[in-house]
Amino acid sequence: MTDPVSRPTFYEGEILPAADLIATVDYPRNQMARHSRYVHRWGIAAGLDFVGKPASSVGGKNYKVVTVNAGIAFDGTGKEIVVPDAVQLNPTDFLSTVSPDTNQPLLWYPFFLVGLDQPAPPSSNLTGACNSSQPTRTQEKYNIVYGNPGEELNLDQQQGVANIADGPDDGTTNPWRVLLGFVQWSADPTVQQFTDVTDFNPTTGIGRRYVGVNAAEVVSGRGSLVLETHPANFSGQNPILALQIQEAPNDGSMVFGKLNPDGSVNPVLTVSSNGNVTATGQISGAVTPGSMQVQSGIAFDGMLLPLPTGINPADVAAGKVTVHTHLSVHYEGVSPAGLLLALPVECRADTSTRRIHCRVIDITAGPPFVNILPAWCDYLVIVAVPASTGSGS
Amino acid sequence: MSQNPQMDVLYMQGLGHVLGIFTRTSEPAQIETDASVFVGDGLHLRGSPPFPQPPASGHDLVVPPSMIGVFRAVRNWRQIFQPFNLYVSQPPSTPALSSFAAAGPTLGFTSPNLTITLTPATAGSALNILVLALDVNGGNPVPFSAQTTPGQTSVNIAMTGLVSGDNYNAFVFIPTLPVAVQQFTAP
């Protein structure tokens, strides 16, 4: 049975052993680790972004020097990992753990941040009884390690601490890996360098992971709650999006849109507290059962009759919806030289394939005097979606 | 009534020839990328110049959906009814509609070769050529392809592997040039 969590206490005249002093440090550290581990989600907390600076070798071959900036992350054991200064990725470290496939230069190799506790060198300034050659500090260091393509998968399956009461891991065996990004390796064996770096692997769809929160409730005390994809002052390629729930006298609303630099939300979707929904764009999705969907326009002989937006052609083919059509010849496009008269030959849509058959017979000054030509048609399509078996059910 | 000021263009992928244009009053937010939504198992072109009037009912040039691209353009009524005068440039990233500026190639047939002759002005760069051979008795078109070198004004394509003795129409697609048609008897 695991011992209960205990904190050190002291009494007057106590001879203070080193273990008690250590416990005064470990108690809040372990408590903080449990908080980080169970109240929050592991990942990058701040910084740790990177830059790939273009460079070229003596032979003129291009590569990139990748530098990770200072920052902080928390691993899955609750350990805080601090990178105090910018650090350059070392190609030698990469080659010590990865055998890159130079035939596939577009592979993305993940690189991770791991925490590592190491005893600091003993101080040489201590004398007498204090000069025991024992370290008096533990340095909370870090390492950047590399993986083969695909090792970014299943990072949530990493083994954390053994017991719920444990403090953070020291990183000496199987350290928890926090994904920082991906690098590409040169296909030229004479250039043993990185050629590119990214924060998202398009092959696996996995990118950097940031800290989160485990919470069943999020409560604001100011009458407004905002979720933002980045801080308002962030400068990136993508627009910052935000969702704001805002109280108002006798009203209130939920607003979604781009976040303005001043922190306000540019609304594109608003749901008011009385249920009114306002969208500045188009609303699409599954078709509502019991509804009628309409499409119209101009189509031509030989193509399929266009369906209303949102109607699945498979539902039409399967007879799950009822299709009403009306077609009439659009004579504007029938214009052979010397046209005297044009009459419809056929103008219909095949009931099983929806293919349009629209042709006219035209009489011209000729020769030839009579032609049968494909033509355009005005069409109207109404699709009735049954209330019980529609595609939107 | 509000009209959507857009139109949807079906064109030959990699070559650019417009095969048809239609409109929809209600356009989806994202245009469909699979042409089979609009053409099913193939787009049936019959009797509209330059496609010859079929000698028999049911004789269509059927272009399979895999060869057809789709994009959306600003509606232009004149273009809707003149699709075969147009080609799509720079598909599919920033497609734009243009009218053919030069005449199509001159065709001739001396068994077993279909001879395609270009003017020096149109033969300045390397060109991909697609020929669809369609039996006038029907069936699926048989594709032939060739590539010219810059400055090459004449190309021979052996029309072999067809039903010997049958009459065929050869539809010749060359980027930025109008479609040309040549009837021949298969060797």
Side-chain angles (χ1 to χ4, degrees), chain A residues 282 284 294-309 313 330 332-335 346 354-359 368 370-374 376 379, chain B residues 1 3-4 8 10 19-29 36-49 53-54 57-58 77 80-83:
Chain A
Q282 294 186 20
S284 60
V294 182
Q295 184 62 282
S296 63
I298 293 176
F300 56 90
D301 177 74
M303 68 173 289
L304 302 189
L305 195 59
L307 291 171
T309 301
H330 189 103
E332 187 177 350
V334 183
S335 57
E346 57 179 351
R354 289 188 290 119
R355 192 171 304 283
I356 295 171
H357 297 260
C358 182
R359 293 192 297 170
V370 176
N371 299 289
I372 296 179
L373 295 174
W376 286 262
Y379 68 88
Chain B
M1 178 174 129
Q3 287 285 315
N4 193 311
D8 298 317
L10 303 177
L19 301 175
I21 303 175
F22 62 98
T23 69
R24 291 183 285 181
T25 304
S26 174
E27 287 274 358
S36 65
V37 174
F38 305 116
V39 304
D41 58 359
L43 179 59
H44 294 236
L45 299 169
R46 49 179 183 172
S48 180
Q53 190 171 350
S57 178
W77 291 113
I80 289 174
F81 302 118
Q82 303 281 335

Side-chain angles (χ1 to χ4, degrees), chain A residues 43-50 68-73 81 83 113 178-180 208-211 234:
Chain A
I44 297 165
L48 298 175
D49 48 334
F50 46 74
V68 177
N69 290 321
I72 295 176
I81 310 170
V83 178
L113 180 69
V178 179
L179 179 64
L180 293 183
R208 285 154 61 94
R209 174 167 167 165
Y210 294 85
V211 289
F234 179 79

Side-chain angles (χ1 to χ4, degrees), chain A residues 305-379:
Chain A
L305 195 59
L307 291 171
T309 301
I311 294 296
N312 185 348
D315 287 346
V316 176
K320 291 182 178 177
V321 296
T322 306
V323 181
H324 306 260
T325 66
H326 178 79
L327 287 77
S328 60
V329 174
H330 189 103
Y331 288 98
E332 187 177 350
V334 183
S335 57
L339 176 67
L340 299 176
L341 179 65
L343 298 169
V345 174
E346 57 179 351
C347 190
R348 61 183 172 83
D350 188 286
T351 53
S352 60
T353 64
R354 289 188 290 119
R355 192 171 304 283
I356 295 171
H357 297 260
C358 182
R359 293 192 297 170
V360 296
I361 182 168
D362 68 70
I363 301 170
T364 69
F369 299 98
V370 176
N371 299 289
I372 296 179
L373 295 174
W376 286 262
C377 65
D378 297 301
Y379 68 88

Side-chain angles (χ1 to χ4, degrees), chain A residues 70-94:
Chain A
I72 295 176
F74 289 87
D75 73 12
T77 73
K79 181 181 181 63
E80 181 192 52
I81 310 170
V82 179
V83 178
D85 299 299
V87 58
Q88 188 173 313
L89 298 195
N90 188 339
T92 305
D93 292 344
F94 176 81

Side-chain angles (χ1 to χ4, degrees), chain A residues 172-215:
Chain A
T172 54
T173 56
N174 295 323
W176 191 286
R177 300 191 294 182
V178 179
L179 179 64
L180 293 183
F182 301 85
V183 288
Q184 284 181 337
W185 188 252
S186 173
D188 187 338
T190 65
V191 183
Q192 301 211 323
Q193 295 285 354
F194 304 112
T195 54
D196 207 355
V197 62
T198 184
D199 58 2
F200 179 81
N201 185 342
T203 306
T204 60
I206 292 178
R208 285 154 61 94
R209 174 167 167 165
Y210 294 85
V211 289
V213 61
N214 293 326

